Amino acid sequence: WIFVPNSLDLNPLNYDKERFYRDIRSNVRLITPVYTLTELGSETNFPYDSLKNACQNLASEVNDKTVVEYEAQIKMFVSIVKSAIRDKVFKVRRESNINQLTISISNYKAAIEQLSALYRNLLPIINIPQISPLIIELFRFGDEFLCNLIERSTYVLIQFMQKKFPEQSVNLQRDLFVLVAKEMEYKKQNSYLMVDTKSPTNNQQFLFRIGALKKYIESDLYLTAKKKKNTFLAEQVSFSLAAGMSMIFATVIAFSFQRKFGTLTMPLFIALVISYMFKDRIKDLLRYYFAHKLSSKFFDHKTNISIKNQTIGWIKEGFDFIPDNKVPEKIMEMRNRSTLLEAENRRFTEKIMLFRKRVRLNGKLLRKVNSYIVPGINDIVRINLSDFIRKMDNPEIPLFAPNGEFNYEIIHGEKIYYLNFIIQCKYQELVQYKRYRIVLNKQGIKRMETF
């Protein structure tokens, strides 16, 4: 549910479904299988074992099947490492004790060195004459991505320690700087792009490169989506009913006048013309009525999601403006309107948008096409708020304040607006709610508050 201030002047007439779906973007991806950094530093972990087998199978026989499996295992291994490093960094940054921090940093450094060595030790297996340089380059993509990931994550930890433990963590910082230096030297040896402190183009190529590598590495986690209109059949049936009902009206008028005045008479002619005029209007009004009813009962779009050309489920989406009395009581309680806002709503009603999404996955098919245990999917939703800020007032408002006994000064206040988002997530009998408040003005988003 999106609660929009009335002053922004968004309503079904100037912000219809097409505009909303133009402003919203959704990416669906599998949740990365969960492994700890310590587990990935061991030769016996499943991701590494799967990658090693794929490399050995490729070295034994180069064909479409072995190449596809080899590439898929590179992407999955590196994606799992990325998630494991992210989780480890998050955990380390929550440490409040220097002794525990020392242990965590030591474990991080050891696991990074072990898993990077494990990955790079697989290169000799595939670096043989019968395997083309283009196929070997796929392995180097994963290697380069790991280098950038290790470098950035390590700097984040150093930055954390400099802020929270500036004196106690000097030796720990030194160890991490040594780790970064090793990665930098390795990148030089392999001609990987690096951050240039004197870059005249602000490291554009480096940023473009890491973005392209990220998309490539995580591409197998993103599900292929084919969107189509979901209400086509229901619309055609309802529109046919509208046409039939308007035809019934016209036919009844024609038969009634024909029976009373006979055929080929002026009254019948006038009646037929008038009935035809009303027939078209009735048909259009009924079509509008049915379309409005359909939009609130059915979903607008249906997206089939697939992986490796195998359809594993679907997503349905719907969007509508709804009145207060259609909003569940639980949602209105979470919205928690102030007394002033409630009083204002008696005349200037807050607009409420409802975006619905239903997701269905076939677990058996998913397990068949993916050797990893996948806990679920991530649905990443982005919404463009450009239309929301179009009619906002100027962000700076002059304010008067006393300056001495007989003087004043003008200061500039910042005018803001609030957008309230309330999300309901439901899986079987489990229901969760979350409220976010976006603070923004004509210059853009200022901050986000969570309740």
Side-chain angles (χ1 to χ4, degrees):
W1 287 266
I2 307 174
F3 294 81
V4 185
N6 181 74
S7 57
L8 300 188
D9 192 30
L10 287 179
N11 55 66
L13 296 178
N14 60 23
Y15 194 70
D16 55 15
K17 293 176 183 290
E18 289 186 6
R19 284 179 176 266
F20 176 80
Y21 287 115
R22 179 200 62 188
D23 289 340
I24 198 165
R25 179 184 175 188
S26 179
N27 290 321
V28 182
R29 54 161 287 174
L30 299 175
I31 294 176
T32 309
V34 180
Y35 289 84
T36 66
L37 204 56
T38 303
E39 290 173 337
L40 294 173
S42 167
E43 287 192 52
T44 58
N45 69 82
F46 180 73
Y48 176 73
D49 192 49
S50 300
L51 176 58
K52 185 177 181 180
N53 289 336
C55 291
Q56 291 171 340
N57 292 337
L58 179 67
S60 300
E61 184 179 0
V62 181
N63 54 46
D64 291 344
K65 183 178 180 181
T66 56
V67 171
V68 168
E69 182 63 17
Y70 153 83
E71 184 177 17
Q73 291 301 335
I74 289 173
K75 293 178 180 180
M76 186 59 78
F77 178 81
V78 177
S79 295
I80 291 172
V81 171
K82 175 178 177 288
S83 293
I85 291 179
R86 178 202 62 206
D87 293 343
K88 182 65 175 179
V89 169
F90 179 76
K91 184 177 179 182
V92 171
R93 292 174 67 185
R94 297 178 66 184
E95 299 290 2
S96 57
N97 181 284
I98 187 63
N99 294 326
Q100 191 60 46
L101 178 66
T102 302
I103 296 172
S104 295
I105 293 296
S106 176
N107 292 339
Y108 168 84
K109 184 173 178 291
I112 290 292
E113 292 174 337
Q114 289 168 2
L115 71 87
S116 58
L118 285 174
Y119 183 86
R120 292 159 187 170
N121 288 341
L122 294 177
L123 182 58
I125 297 176
I126 59 170
N127 194 14
I128 53 180
Q130 59 264 39
I131 297 180
S132 72
L134 290 176
I135 296 177
I136 297 175
E137 191 69 12
L138 302 179
F139 187 90
R140 287 171 55 82
F141 289 157
D143 191 27
E144 184 178 358
F145 185 85
L146 278 178
C147 286
N148 293 329
L149 179 64
I150 292 169
E151 180 185 346
R152 180 171 179 79
S153 300
T154 305
Y155 274 127
V156 168
L157 290 178
I158 293 172
Q159 184 182 48
F160 160 74
M161 288 188 290
Q162 287 177 343
K163 288 183 178 180
K164 192 163 186 179
F165 303 97
E167 297 179 359
Q168 305 100 310
S169 66
V170 172
N171 291 332
L172 294 178
Q173 293 176 41
R174 188 178 295 113
D175 290 342
L176 293 185
F177 276 118
V178 170
L179 177 62
V180 170
K182 289 180 181 179
E183 289 299 312
M184 299 286 283
E185 182 60 31
Y186 181 80
K187 289 174 77 173
K188 287 180 182 178
Q189 294 172 2
N190 289 273
S191 302
Y192 295 153
L193 276 180
M194 301 168 60
V195 175
D196 183 359
T197 56
K198 299 179 181 179
S199 170
T201 57
N202 298 318
N203 293 288
Q204 291 175 357
Q205 290 301 315
F206 177 76
L207 288 171
F208 177 83
R209 179 81 176 177
I210 61 176
L213 285 171
K214 181 179 183 295
K215 291 175 183 176
Y216 170 74
I217 292 299
E218 297 182 353
S219 59
D220 278 7
L221 290 173
Y222 282 91
L223 302 177
T224 305
K226 295 181 180 179
K227 183 176 287 189
K228 62 181 181 179
K229 201 167 185 179
N230 187 54
T231 57
F232 177 78
L233 180 60
E235 278 185 352
Q236 298 311 306
V237 172
S238 63
F239 292 167
S240 297
L241 287 173
M245 292 172 71
S246 65
M247 189 62 191
I248 290 172
F249 169 80
T251 304
V252 168
I253 295 295
F255 282 1
S256 299
F257 273 77
Q258 187 176 6
R259 184 174 181 180
K260 185 171 184 178
F261 298 104
T263 58
L264 303 177
T265 61
M266 184 55 70
L268 176 61
F269 173 76
I270 295 172
L272 289 175
V273 172
I274 294 174
S275 67
Y276 185 80
M277 292 165 56
F278 276 97
K279 179 178 78 72
D280 276 359
R281 293 301 90 216
I282 291 172
K283 183 172 71 172
D284 288 342
L285 287 172
L286 287 173
R287 285 184 61 171
Y288 177 80
Y289 173 79
F290 283 131
H292 180 71
K293 286 297 182 182
L294 281 174
S295 67
S296 61
K297 300 295 182 183
F298 296 89
F299 291 89
D300 304 318
H301 301 126
K302 180 179 180 181
T303 304
N304 290 322
I305 51 179
S306 59
I307 181 171
K308 297 181 181 179
N309 297 322
Q310 172 67 59
T311 300
I312 60 168
W314 49 254
I315 297 174
K316 293 181 179 180
E317 297 173 317
F319 170 78
D320 293 284
F321 279 86
I322 59 173
D324 282 22
N325 59 11
K326 296 292 184 180
V327 180
E329 185 177 345
K330 170 73 175 178
I331 302 302
M332 295 305 293
E333 289 177 2
M334 294 188 67
R335 170 63 186 89
N336 191 25
R337 286 172 175 160
S338 66
T339 307
L340 176 61
L341 186 59
E342 287 287 7
E344 182 187 0
N345 276 344
R346 294 171 192 164
R347 184 172 181 183
F348 302 108
T349 309
E350 187 178 43
K351 298 298 185 294
I352 305 173
M353 301 175 181
L354 173 61
F355 176 55
R356 298 170 293 133
K357 178 176 286 191
R358 179 174 292 173
V359 182
R360 177 168 293 174
L361 291 176
N362 188 317
K364 292 181 180 179
L365 290 177
L366 182 57
R367 286 188 290 271
K368 186 181 295 184
V369 298
N370 195 333
S371 56
Y372 287 88
I373 297 175
V374 179
I377 62 171
N378 281 324
D379 189 358
I380 305 162
V381 180
R382 297 179 176 91
I383 181 168
N384 187 330
L385 299 178
S386 298
D387 280 324
F388 289 71
I389 69 176
R390 194 180 307 280
K391 296 184 180 180
M392 287 184 178
D393 290 339
N394 291 329
E396 287 190 352
I397 304 294
L399 300 173
F400 295 90
N403 184 9
E405 187 175 357
F406 300 106
N407 202 357
Y408 70 92
E409 62 178 320
I410 297 177
I411 61 175
H412 291 284
E414 188 176 34
K415 186 174 179 62
I416 59 172
Y417 297 81
Y418 295 107
L419 287 179
N420 284 271
F421 289 74
I422 299 180
I423 300 173
Q424 177 195 54
C425 295
K426 184 176 181 180
Y427 174 69
Q428 294 179 352
E429 300 303 319
L430 177 65
V431 183
Q432 293 182 330
Y433 297 89
K434 199 73 177 179
R435 178 189 170 195
Y436 300 93
R437 186 166 70 179
I438 310 298
V439 183
L440 70 168
N441 62 18
K442 196 151 190 158
Q443 294 177 335
I445 296 174
K446 311 302 292 184
R447 64 183 182 272
M448 183 179 74
E449 301 168 347
T450 307
F451 295 87

